[in-house]
Amino acid sequence: MKSYYKLAWKEILGQKVVSVLILIAIVLSAAMTTAVGQAAGNLNAMRRQQAIAIRGNSYASFVQLTEEKAQVLEHDARLSYAGRYIQIGSMELNDILRLDLAEYWGDGLHTRPSYTKLVEGHLPEKPMEIALSEDALQFLGFTGSIGDTISLPLSKALRHDVTIEPYDYQADFVLTGITQNNYLGYLYGSILGFVGEGTAKEILPQKYLYYCMDIRTVNSKNFQEIVDDLIQTLDIHELDTIYNHAYLNALGIHYNASEDGSMIDDEGFPFLILAGVLVTVLVLLAAGLVIYNILKISAARRIGQYGVLRAIGAEKGQLYGIVAAEVLLLCMCGIPAGVLLGFLSSKGILGAVLNQFSPELFLAQDAAQLQTMLAENSSLKWEYLFLSAAIVLLFAFMASAPAAYFAAKVSPVTAIHRIAFEKKRRIKNRRKNQKIKKITGFERYYAALNLQRNKSRTIITILSMVMSITVFVTLQSYLSYFGKASVELEHLGDYSVVNEYGGFSPEELERMQSDLNVSTVAAQQFTLYDLDEEYYPVGIETDFSLGIGEKFQIYGYNDCWIDYQFTDQLTDKQRNVLKAGEGCIVRNPISFMVEGIQIGTTQIEEGSIITIAGKKLQVLLALNGYDGYFSVGNNGFINGVQVLVNDHLYSQLTGTNNYVELRPILKEDVNRELFDNTLKSLCGRAAGTTWVSYEETDRQIEESRTQIKLLAWGLILFIGLIGILNIINTIYTNIHTRVVEIGTQRAIGMSAKSLYKTFLWEGVYYGLFAAAIGCVTGYVCTILVNAAGSNTITLTVPPLSAMAEASILSIAACLAATAIPLNKIAKMSIVKSIEAVE
């Protein structure tokens, strides 16, 4: 033998059961780590794509620059990109949206990929050429085609330190391209259009002709240092630096922006990654216990071999290396298989998880677009793959370190002395204070004694099962809560058709109501009012003021919506008063504290009389708390006073009769595809319209429930399998180390059945102890999970059914794991067992 390390390979081949158990643990941990790693990579790629879609592929922008400053930036070697653009002007499309025009130089348009996807034509190249999105053309009422002229009234003002008036002008452009709609701009109340290079010089006076620069730095680590130096060197005003918050956060680039320019809540990404990390740590810990337990037992059994090696000259480092080499060889076989399995399953796991979140969290219009984003960013992430493999390798070596340390410190004298006197040492009875009592069940009593032979081994085995039971109880409780919370909602209508950027005219409502496929249509209206300095609504008169941080809102429901919503809450007489425009329903704001300031102080009592726009109204119903708030589409609650009236009165109070949401109720057995085409035509007539089919969302919800249940059970089985590996190894070791003892017991008359029952009782004890501890820890985790959803820690009713299931499954799994090594006992010869040298 030329090297001690050849012993590692021989040990692997000589102890096949032990090697297979460790190999399975490595494969499982590598699969989970890779799946989470690839999912994290996909999420990060989606996050970057989302950030670029919002504000472009740049780190920051400098605005209102002179020609000289722009040239300095273009020639700065520290910048990998410096793209010039000019803000041409803007125009109001409606009360919510405006059209912003910009002239990009060179390849600057490529920094705005989500805004420059063409439907028809080409992007502008020459002065006075323009490209606009489909929705912008709809808002403008443009009915022409490519090559036609568009006349736009525009306005441009300097950002700060100016005393001149904004420059208002009319300009004619030639339409060269129509781009896809990008609703992300709606977050900022803007639709972006592009004009050809040279347009600004033709239509803007010199004093309004200033430049903006998008920049990216060569070295992202010193990004802020470079920006600070440029601001100081070029004397750039503090208001003229705009950070691309979303993109910088996605790239992990440090910056010190004082302004809060990010309107995007990207907390969903860190939450998902954190959840994945916790699951990975749990799996790695369970697998580490398996590797630790198996190698520690294996090293203890080979103490004599290590002593002989030390006696013939082996050094501590060489013995340490033998154990490390065993782990390395097994990792070389197990990690590639686990990595492949994890990569193949990562996309499906992440897709199932993403289905549990609203697509709006990822700035997607619907679940289909979210899955498209996932598909576009699901390529192999090599850096995460290698990181996953390295983490598994590190954990494997950490788990094997105690066994390697034990092997390295073996004294040759002690080891050889132990071989000579092993049997005598084992026979020695060290029990003290033993009480004489009658043994009613020998197998059960003997099994309990066996668990005390090696308490550390017993504790580790039970601990591995405790983790499985904890996960089982927690996830079962979550699934139970998930099942109750996910009860299919009763939807008003078969579709939700929403347009907050101009709404639907009464004629559109009548057209939908007259559709042959439609039974009736529920419709609602909505107007939001800010408050003045005295906290009265701006734009409408009321006889009451509101509190700090509140908004005044008026909703209008047609008769169909009123009947659906308030049949159980109002009497027939009250509903008739509401429909007649003589009464209203008030939803009071939610009260809470912000930095010591009380928010949501307005309270309007049921039965009181309020005056809005000169109209006295009886409050038929006053709603409080979190339930029953009014909203448009899938939007959340805006804190403030919500007043609901019928649609005819709404028009009198607000001066507008447009509807923001329509809920068509279809007749039975209609052709939904035909009605979908009707809705697409409506979208073409009313810019900014979105619609959702409740039939499709219900199907997606059901699929999501199934997927999340499969994921939960998969995780339960995943960690449970690792715990079972520990039990198999422990029972297998107990049999192997007690060969002489088993042979002696059989020789003096112990039956095979009684011997089987002894080991099966050991499995029962493992299951009982693990179930008792696991149910308690599972209940604690259940409380924490519920606290995460409600933000308060409360003692809930223990999940007794989940605990009972966990206990039964735990005992059954332990019995099954015990039965596998028992096959070895059936093949034992009594004579050979007695003659065996341990």
Side-chain angles (χ1 to χ4, degrees), residues 176-209:
T176 63
I178 300 176
T179 59
Q180 293 181 7
N181 296 336
N182 186 354
Y183 295 106
L184 295 178
Y186 287 24
L187 295 170
Y188 301 93
S190 170
I191 297 178
L192 187 60
F194 305 97
V195 298
E197 187 173 340
T199 301
K201 291 184 178 180
E202 291 196 9
I203 61 177
L204 291 178
Q206 185 61 38
K207 59 183 177 182
Y208 289 92
L209 189 61

Short mmCIF file of all heavy atoms in Angstrom, two decimals, residues 176-209:
data_model
loop_
_atom_site.label_atom_id
_atom_site.label_comp_id
_atom_site.label_asym_id
_atom_site.label_seq_id
_atom_site.Cartn_x
_atom_site.Cartn_y
_atom_site.Cartn_z
N THR A 176 -43.38 56.96 -36.38
CA THR A 176 -42.60 55.92 -37.06
C THR A 176 -42.72 54.56 -36.39
O THR A 176 -42.38 53.54 -36.99
CB THR A 176 -41.11 56.30 -37.09
OG1 THR A 176 -40.61 56.39 -35.75
CG2 THR A 176 -40.91 57.63 -37.81
N GLY A 177 -43.15 54.53 -35.13
CA GLY A 177 -43.23 53.24 -34.43
C GLY A 177 -44.30 53.24 -33.35
O GLY A 177 -44.58 54.28 -32.73
N ILE A 178 -44.90 52.08 -33.16
CA ILE A 178 -45.87 51.87 -32.09
C ILE A 178 -45.28 50.80 -31.16
O ILE A 178 -44.96 49.69 -31.61
CB ILE A 178 -47.24 51.42 -32.63
CG1 ILE A 178 -47.80 52.49 -33.57
CG2 ILE A 178 -48.21 51.16 -31.48
CD1 ILE A 178 -49.11 52.08 -34.23
N THR A 179 -45.11 51.13 -29.90
CA THR A 179 -44.49 50.22 -28.94
C THR A 179 -45.56 49.54 -28.07
O THR A 179 -46.70 49.99 -28.00
CB THR A 179 -43.51 50.97 -28.03
OG1 THR A 179 -44.21 52.01 -27.33
CG2 THR A 179 -42.39 51.58 -28.86
N GLN A 180 -45.12 48.46 -27.41
CA GLN A 180 -46.03 47.74 -26.52
C GLN A 180 -46.34 48.57 -25.28
O GLN A 180 -45.54 49.41 -24.85
CB GLN A 180 -45.41 46.41 -26.09
CG GLN A 180 -45.25 45.40 -27.20
CD GLN A 180 -44.66 44.09 -26.69
OE1 GLN A 180 -44.50 43.89 -25.49
NE2 GLN A 180 -44.35 43.19 -27.61
N ASN A 181 -47.50 48.32 -24.71
CA ASN A 181 -47.87 49.00 -23.47
C ASN A 181 -46.97 48.54 -22.33
O ASN A 181 -46.63 47.35 -22.24
CB ASN A 181 -49.33 48.72 -23.11
CG ASN A 181 -50.30 49.27 -24.14
OD1 ASN A 181 -49.97 50.21 -24.85
ND2 ASN A 181 -51.48 48.69 -24.21
N ASN A 182 -46.59 49.44 -21.47
CA ASN A 182 -45.81 49.12 -20.29
C ASN A 182 -46.47 49.79 -19.09
O ASN A 182 -46.29 50.98 -18.86
CB ASN A 182 -44.36 49.60 -20.43
CG ASN A 182 -43.49 49.15 -19.28
OD1 ASN A 182 -43.97 48.57 -18.32
ND2 ASN A 182 -42.21 49.41 -19.37
N TYR A 183 -47.24 49.00 -18.36
CA TYR A 183 -48.01 49.56 -17.27
C TYR A 183 -47.17 49.89 -16.04
O TYR A 183 -47.68 50.46 -15.07
CB TYR A 183 -49.14 48.59 -16.88
CG TYR A 183 -50.17 48.41 -17.97
CD1 TYR A 183 -50.22 47.26 -18.74
CD2 TYR A 183 -51.07 49.43 -18.27
CE1 TYR A 183 -51.16 47.12 -19.76
CE2 TYR A 183 -52.01 49.29 -19.27
CZ TYR A 183 -52.05 48.13 -20.02
OH TYR A 183 -52.96 47.99 -21.03
N LEU A 184 -45.87 49.56 -16.07
CA LEU A 184 -45.01 49.91 -14.94
C LEU A 184 -44.90 51.42 -14.80
O LEU A 184 -44.76 51.94 -13.70
CB LEU A 184 -43.62 49.30 -15.13
CG LEU A 184 -43.55 47.77 -15.11
CD1 LEU A 184 -42.12 47.31 -15.35
CD2 LEU A 184 -44.06 47.23 -13.79
N GLY A 185 -44.93 52.12 -15.93
CA GLY A 185 -44.86 53.57 -15.86
C GLY A 185 -46.05 54.19 -15.15
O GLY A 185 -45.95 55.31 -14.63
N TYR A 186 -47.17 53.46 -15.08
CA TYR A 186 -48.35 53.98 -14.40
C TYR A 186 -48.08 54.19 -12.91
O TYR A 186 -48.76 54.99 -12.26
CB TYR A 186 -49.52 53.02 -14.57
CG TYR A 186 -50.15 53.01 -15.95
CD1 TYR A 186 -49.43 53.41 -17.07
CD2 TYR A 186 -51.45 52.58 -16.14
CE1 TYR A 186 -49.99 53.38 -18.34
CE2 TYR A 186 -52.03 52.55 -17.41
CZ TYR A 186 -51.29 52.96 -18.50
OH TYR A 186 -51.86 52.93 -19.75
N LEU A 187 -47.09 53.46 -12.38
CA LEU A 187 -46.73 53.64 -10.97
C LEU A 187 -46.28 55.06 -10.70
O LEU A 187 -46.44 55.60 -9.60
CB LEU A 187 -45.61 52.66 -10.58
CG LEU A 187 -45.97 51.18 -10.60
CD1 LEU A 187 -44.71 50.35 -10.44
CD2 LEU A 187 -46.97 50.84 -9.52
N TYR A 188 -45.68 55.68 -11.69
CA TYR A 188 -45.19 57.06 -11.56
C TYR A 188 -46.11 58.04 -12.28
O TYR A 188 -45.77 59.22 -12.41
CB TYR A 188 -43.78 57.17 -12.13
CG TYR A 188 -42.79 56.26 -11.46
CD1 TYR A 188 -42.52 54.99 -11.96
CD2 TYR A 188 -42.14 56.66 -10.30
CE1 TYR A 188 -41.62 54.15 -11.33
CE2 TYR A 188 -41.23 55.81 -9.67
CZ TYR A 188 -40.98 54.56 -10.18
OH TYR A 188 -40.09 53.73 -9.56
N GLY A 189 -47.26 57.57 -12.75
CA GLY A 189 -48.19 58.43 -13.46
C GLY A 189 -47.67 58.91 -14.79
O GLY A 189 -48.00 60.01 -15.24
N SER A 190 -46.86 58.08 -15.46
CA SER A 190 -46.21 58.52 -16.68
C SER A 190 -46.23 57.43 -17.75
O SER A 190 -46.10 56.25 -17.45
CB SER A 190 -44.75 58.91 -16.38
OG SER A 190 -44.03 59.13 -17.57
N ILE A 191 -46.41 57.88 -19.01
CA ILE A 191 -46.21 57.02 -20.18
C ILE A 191 -45.07 57.63 -20.97
O ILE A 191 -45.08 58.84 -21.27
CB ILE A 191 -47.48 56.94 -21.04
CG1 ILE A 191 -48.62 56.29 -20.25
CG2 ILE A 191 -47.23 56.14 -22.31
CD1 ILE A 191 -49.93 56.22 -21.01
N LEU A 192 -44.08 56.84 -21.32
CA LEU A 192 -42.86 57.35 -21.95
C LEU A 192 -42.92 57.19 -23.46
O LEU A 192 -43.26 56.12 -23.97
CB LEU A 192 -41.63 56.61 -21.39
CG LEU A 192 -40.26 57.12 -21.81
CD1 LEU A 192 -40.07 58.57 -21.38
CD2 LEU A 192 -39.16 56.24 -21.19
N GLY A 193 -42.60 58.27 -24.16
CA GLY A 193 -42.50 58.25 -25.61
C GLY A 193 -41.12 58.71 -26.05
O GLY A 193 -40.39 59.36 -25.28
N PHE A 194 -40.73 58.38 -27.29
CA PHE A 194 -39.38 58.67 -27.77
C PHE A 194 -39.44 59.46 -29.07
O PHE A 194 -40.31 59.21 -29.93
CB PHE A 194 -38.60 57.37 -27.98
CG PHE A 194 -38.56 56.49 -26.76
CD1 PHE A 194 -39.46 55.43 -26.61
CD2 PHE A 194 -37.66 56.74 -25.75
CE1 PHE A 194 -39.43 54.63 -25.49
CE2 PHE A 194 -37.63 55.93 -24.61
CZ PHE A 194 -38.51 54.89 -24.48
N VAL A 195 -38.49 60.38 -29.22
CA VAL A 195 -38.36 61.14 -30.47
C VAL A 195 -36.95 60.94 -31.01
O VAL A 195 -36.04 60.48 -30.29
CB VAL A 195 -38.63 62.65 -30.25
CG1 VAL A 195 -40.05 62.87 -29.77
CG2 VAL A 195 -37.63 63.23 -29.24
N GLY A 196 -36.77 61.25 -32.29
CA GLY A 196 -35.48 61.03 -32.94
C GLY A 196 -34.43 62.03 -32.50
O GLY A 196 -34.73 63.15 -32.07
N GLU A 197 -33.15 61.63 -32.60
CA GLU A 197 -32.03 62.48 -32.20
C GLU A 197 -32.00 63.74 -33.07
O GLU A 197 -32.10 63.68 -34.28
CB GLU A 197 -30.72 61.70 -32.33
CG GLU A 197 -29.52 62.43 -31.79
CD GLU A 197 -28.28 61.55 -31.79
OE1 GLU A 197 -28.42 60.31 -31.84
OE2 GLU A 197 -27.16 62.11 -31.75
N GLY A 198 -31.85 64.89 -32.42
CA GLY A 198 -31.85 66.18 -33.10
C GLY A 198 -33.15 66.93 -32.97
O GLY A 198 -33.24 68.11 -33.35
N THR A 199 -34.19 66.31 -32.42
CA THR A 199 -35.48 66.97 -32.28
C THR A 199 -35.42 68.15 -31.33
O THR A 199 -36.00 69.21 -31.59
CB THR A 199 -36.54 65.96 -31.79
OG1 THR A 199 -36.64 64.88 -32.72
CG2 THR A 199 -37.90 66.62 -31.64
N ALA A 200 -34.72 67.98 -30.20
CA ALA A 200 -34.68 69.03 -29.19
C ALA A 200 -34.12 70.34 -29.74
O ALA A 200 -34.63 71.42 -29.44
CB ALA A 200 -33.85 68.56 -27.99
N LYS A 201 -33.07 70.26 -30.56
CA LYS A 201 -32.47 71.47 -31.10
C LYS A 201 -33.40 72.20 -32.05
O LYS A 201 -33.29 73.42 -32.23
CB LYS A 201 -31.17 71.12 -31.80
CG LYS A 201 -30.06 70.69 -30.86
CD LYS A 201 -28.75 70.45 -31.61
CE LYS A 201 -27.63 70.05 -30.63
NZ LYS A 201 -26.34 69.82 -31.35
N GLU A 202 -34.34 71.49 -32.65
CA GLU A 202 -35.26 72.12 -33.58
C GLU A 202 -36.44 72.81 -32.90
O GLU A 202 -36.98 73.77 -33.44
CB GLU A 202 -35.79 71.09 -34.58
CG GLU A 202 -34.74 70.58 -35.56
CD GLU A 202 -35.39 69.87 -36.75
OE1 GLU A 202 -36.63 69.94 -36.87
OE2 GLU A 202 -34.65 69.27 -37.54
N ILE A 203 -36.84 72.33 -31.73
CA ILE A 203 -38.08 72.84 -31.15
C ILE A 203 -37.88 73.54 -29.81
O ILE A 203 -38.79 74.25 -29.36
CB ILE A 203 -39.11 71.70 -30.97
CG1 ILE A 203 -38.57 70.61 -30.03
CG2 ILE A 203 -39.50 71.11 -32.30
CD1 ILE A 203 -39.58 69.50 -29.77
N LEU A 204 -36.75 73.38 -29.14
CA LEU A 204 -36.56 73.98 -27.82
C LEU A 204 -35.64 75.20 -27.90
O LEU A 204 -34.61 75.16 -28.59
CB LEU A 204 -35.97 72.97 -26.84
CG LEU A 204 -36.86 71.81 -26.40
CD1 LEU A 204 -36.09 70.88 -25.47
CD2 LEU A 204 -38.13 72.31 -25.73
N PRO A 205 -35.97 76.28 -27.20
CA PRO A 205 -35.03 77.42 -27.09
C PRO A 205 -33.76 76.99 -26.36
O PRO A 205 -33.77 76.02 -25.58
CB PRO A 205 -35.83 78.44 -26.28
CG PRO A 205 -37.26 78.04 -26.41
CD PRO A 205 -37.25 76.54 -26.54
N GLN A 206 -32.70 77.73 -26.54
CA GLN A 206 -31.41 77.35 -25.98
C GLN A 206 -31.44 77.26 -24.45
O GLN A 206 -30.83 76.38 -23.86
CB GLN A 206 -30.34 78.36 -26.43
CG GLN A 206 -28.92 77.99 -26.00
CD GLN A 206 -28.45 76.66 -26.59
OE1 GLN A 206 -28.77 76.36 -27.74
NE2 GLN A 206 -27.71 75.89 -25.81
N LYS A 207 -32.18 78.17 -23.80
CA LYS A 207 -32.17 78.16 -22.33
C LYS A 207 -32.93 76.96 -21.75
O LYS A 207 -32.81 76.67 -20.56
CB LYS A 207 -32.75 79.46 -21.80
CG LYS A 207 -34.18 79.74 -22.22
CD LYS A 207 -34.62 81.09 -21.69
CE LYS A 207 -36.02 81.45 -22.15
NZ LYS A 207 -36.43 82.79 -21.65
N TYR A 208 -33.74 76.28 -22.57
CA TYR A 208 -34.43 75.08 -22.12
C TYR A 208 -33.73 73.80 -22.61
O TYR A 208 -34.20 72.71 -22.34
CB TYR A 208 -35.87 75.06 -22.63
CG TYR A 208 -36.76 76.07 -21.95
CD1 TYR A 208 -36.92 77.35 -22.50
CD2 TYR A 208 -37.41 75.76 -20.78
CE1 TYR A 208 -37.74 78.28 -21.88
CE2 TYR A 208 -38.24 76.68 -20.15
CZ TYR A 208 -38.39 77.94 -20.70
OH TYR A 208 -39.20 78.87 -20.09
N LEU A 209 -32.62 73.99 -23.29
CA LEU A 209 -31.92 72.83 -23.86
C LEU A 209 -30.82 72.39 -22.90
O LEU A 209 -29.69 72.89 -22.93
CB LEU A 209 -31.33 73.20 -25.22
CG LEU A 209 -30.74 72.03 -26.05
CD1 LEU A 209 -31.80 71.00 -26.36
CD2 LEU A 209 -30.12 72.56 -27.33
#
